[in-house]
Amino acid sequence: MKEIIINFLLMLWSWSPIFSFTKDSNFGELSINHSSPVRPQLREWRISVLQIMLGAHKLYVLSAYRTVDQNTNMASVHWNWVRLLSLKEVCDDSDHIQQIYTVYYNRLKSPSIKNERLEAEKESLCYHIETENSRLEKSDNKMNIYATAVLTLLPILLSISFDTILELFNINLIYKLAIGLAVFFILNITLYLYQYIKVGGYSMSSFSELKKEKNKRITKRLIAQYYYDFQSLKSKARLFVSYVKNIQTWMVASFVLFIITFSYHQFYTHSRSTQNSTINSSSLIYNVNITDLNDPYSQSSIQLTDIRKSIQTQSADKIIVMYNDHTDISAIESELRIFDSSFEIQYLYDDQLETNDAKILVYKGRTP
């Protein structure tokens, strides 16, 4: 349980747009395995002032990163002004595959390798090639499902009017944050799908190379080519599975965001409707301009006097003062402070009100 919590916190930190803590070899994400020493797992890292996620690409701005030389095992710290990391770059092992392919073929040329072993390795490689092809097929099927889901939901989302979104955006900070995150999530999911579709091909063994091989070594060259194809397919499958896992993570995050936003919207709507339901036909709403209260003959000052009179004559049961959180309502508070101990007065924020404007609701009649 402890490992799950730590890895979850590390994942959130690696997703942070500001001062993110990431690892290039894992396409940014950080995780630890408690069954192994923790320190070696965190020897390589990157800390960035700004991180921008763009689907299968991540842009790091003003970052420091630590690398470890595989030969000397020495660590060193470097700096980048800008670094664009791609998922394909992380999963691309073409140079390494070419190197081990040559080593493997030279091993097969050894006289100590018997025909029985050649046949066994050939059979094993054929099995592993089939396995990697199966992984690729499963990845394609999952991505097709995700693409279908996105193509189904996008028209629904695009049908939402801009005025409705703007109205929600102007309510409060929580709606602003939810809409901003939703747009960011949709952008990344769409980019993942697009970048998955346009993933380039991977090199496979060449038949022309096999034709040039001498007859006595053609079987060994063929087995070596099976090995090369297996490694290439393995690298390609790793990339495609990474695409699937990443887009799955984004879709789960989007679903969680939807649940949280929907729940908050229902709570907020219920709260507002409950508040509005307490207003009956005999209640009065006064629109008061705070700056006009300095003039005793202004309409706002007269209205405030009427409100005081309603309290003094016991013709009101409750008063709610609604105002923008940037508005100084000390003039209203000073007028009503004398009634604080004997009368119910509520003060509520309403971000839809303009600065220096306030609404005062005078309830006449008991609320249930």
Side-chain angles (χ1 to χ4, degrees), residues 20-203:
S20 59
F21 186 47
T22 59
K23 187 176 182 179
D24 288 359
S25 60
N26 202 28
F27 192 55
E29 283 195 17
L30 273 172
S31 62
I32 59 174
N33 183 0
H34 282 285
S35 61
S36 303
V38 175
R39 187 173 179 180
Q41 299 179 61
L42 297 178
R43 291 193 69 189
E44 294 185 333
W45 46 257
R46 178 184 294 273
I47 297 179
S48 307
V49 174
L50 178 64
Q51 176 186 212
I52 302 175
M53 296 183 178
L54 300 169
H57 295 84
K58 292 184 178 181
L59 181 66
Y60 301 112
V61 180
L62 294 177
S63 60
Y65 64 100
R66 191 173 190 257
T67 59
V68 178
D69 191 299
Q70 299 299 325
N71 298 321
T72 63
N73 202 32
M74 295 293 293
S76 57
V77 178
H78 311 274
W79 295 86
N80 279 142
W81 287 102
V82 176
R83 171 75 166 99
L84 182 63
L85 181 67
S86 70
L87 183 58
K88 185 177 180 180
E89 173 190 344
V90 173
C91 297
D92 185 13
D93 294 329
S94 54
D95 292 338
H96 176 68
I97 292 172
Q98 184 61 47
Q99 181 181 356
I100 61 176
Y101 163 68
T102 303
V103 173
Y104 182 76
Y105 177 62
N106 290 333
R107 169 182 164 273
L108 292 181
K109 290 192 297 184
S110 172
S112 61
I113 302 295
K114 304 300 181 182
N115 290 336
E116 293 82 1
R117 184 172 184 87
L118 289 175
E119 286 299 321
E121 293 194 13
K122 178 182 177 181
E123 184 177 346
S124 177
L125 287 170
C126 289
Y127 167 76
H128 283 92
I129 288 174
E130 184 179 350
T131 301
E132 297 303 327
N133 279 322
S134 177
R135 289 179 66 198
L136 288 170
E137 184 178 355
K138 289 180 180 178
S139 298
D140 275 333
N141 291 336
K142 288 183 178 181
M143 289 300 290
N144 288 333
I145 294 173
Y146 293 146
T148 302
V150 172
L151 292 176
T152 302
L153 292 174
L154 272 181
I156 299 175
L157 295 174
L158 293 175
S159 66
I160 301 175
S161 67
F162 179 76
D163 291 338
T164 302
I165 297 175
L166 186 61
E167 182 180 347
L168 291 173
F169 189 82
N170 290 329
I171 291 178
N172 57 35
L173 180 61
I174 294 179
Y175 279 105
K176 290 182 175 67
L177 183 62
I179 292 173
L181 286 175
V183 172
F184 181 63
F185 287 2
I186 293 171
L187 173 64
N188 275 275
I189 291 173
T190 306
L191 285 174
Y192 260 114
L193 289 173
Y194 170 73
Q195 290 156 357
Y196 179 87
I197 293 172
K198 67 182 288 291
V199 169
Y202 269 62
S203 61

Side-chain angles (χ1 to χ4, degrees), residues 132 135-136 229-239:
E132 297 303 327
R135 289 179 66 198
L136 288 170
D229 291 346
F230 159 61
Q231 292 293 341
S232 294
L233 288 171
K234 182 180 177 182
S235 178
K236 185 178 180 180
R238 179 191 172 200
L239 174 62

Side-chain angles (χ1 to χ4, degrees), residues 314-329:
Q314 298 184 351
S315 58
D317 297 304
K318 182 168 60 174
I319 287 178
I320 294 181
V321 181
M322 295 185 295
Y323 60 98
N324 189 291
D325 57 353
H326 298 295
T327 302
D328 180 10
I329 61 165

